[in-house]
Amino acid sequence: MPIRPENKNRYPADWKLRSRFVRFVRAKGKCEWCGAKHGWPHPITRSRVVLTAAHIYDQRPEAASLLNLAALCQRCHNRHDSVMRRQNAAKRREQENPQIRLPGVN
């Protein structure tokens, strides 16, 4: 998944190396959850697979331990991150468009 510009400085300096190691050395070019092969059509979606390095247990960019990273296809990564993305999108919308809240009125 693309790194949001506001989070880029939170990733370790060697992020690209860690990401590549997880995707192509440890996982041997396959999604660690469903087995889809990088660059091949996905067995379910038929779209071309692009492996990504996903934060599994701790979503913070700083938590880049190899034990916290997994090589995932887009489908598995999106499913894993979907709840967190919805929550973060709602927070961003709230920050961008704060509404006046009256005491005792919901």
Side-chain angles (χ1 to χ4, degrees), residues 18-105:
R18 290 179 198 218
S19 174
R20 183 173 296 276
F21 175 83
V22 167
R23 292 177 293 142
F24 300 112
V25 177
R26 187 176 78 193
K28 298 181 173 104
K30 295 180 183 176
C31 176
E32 292 183 286
W33 288 2
C34 75
K37 295 179 185 177
H38 178 77
W40 291 62
H42 192 281
I44 296 171
T45 67
R46 306 307 301 161
S47 63
R48 187 174 68 88
V49 172
V50 177
L51 288 180
T52 60
H55 291 80
I56 302 304
Y57 304 106
D58 185 343
Q59 300 295 323
R60 295 174 304 119
E62 299 87 355
S65 157
L66 297 179
L67 296 174
N68 187 46
L69 299 176
L72 301 182
C73 67
Q74 306 97 305
R75 182 174 187 264
C76 290
H77 199 161
N78 283 330
R79 287 176 151 206
H80 174 67
D81 285 355
S82 64
V83 172
M84 180 195 64
R85 286 193 185 134
R86 279 195 298 274
Q87 291 170 346
N88 289 343
K91 286 178 189 175
R92 281 193 302 275
R93 280 193 303 274
E94 179 64 28
Q95 289 171 351
E96 293 168 1
N97 300 311
Q99 298 182 7
I100 299 173
R101 297 181 190 263
L102 300 174
V105 177

Side-chain angles (χ1 to χ4, degrees), residues 5-24:
E6 63 268 22
N7 290 332
K8 192 167 186 158
N9 65 344
R10 296 178 60 197
Y11 283 81
D14 64 347
W15 171 252
K16 286 185 180 183
L17 179 65
R18 290 179 198 218
S19 174
R20 183 173 296 276
F21 175 83
V22 167
R23 292 177 293 142
F24 300 112

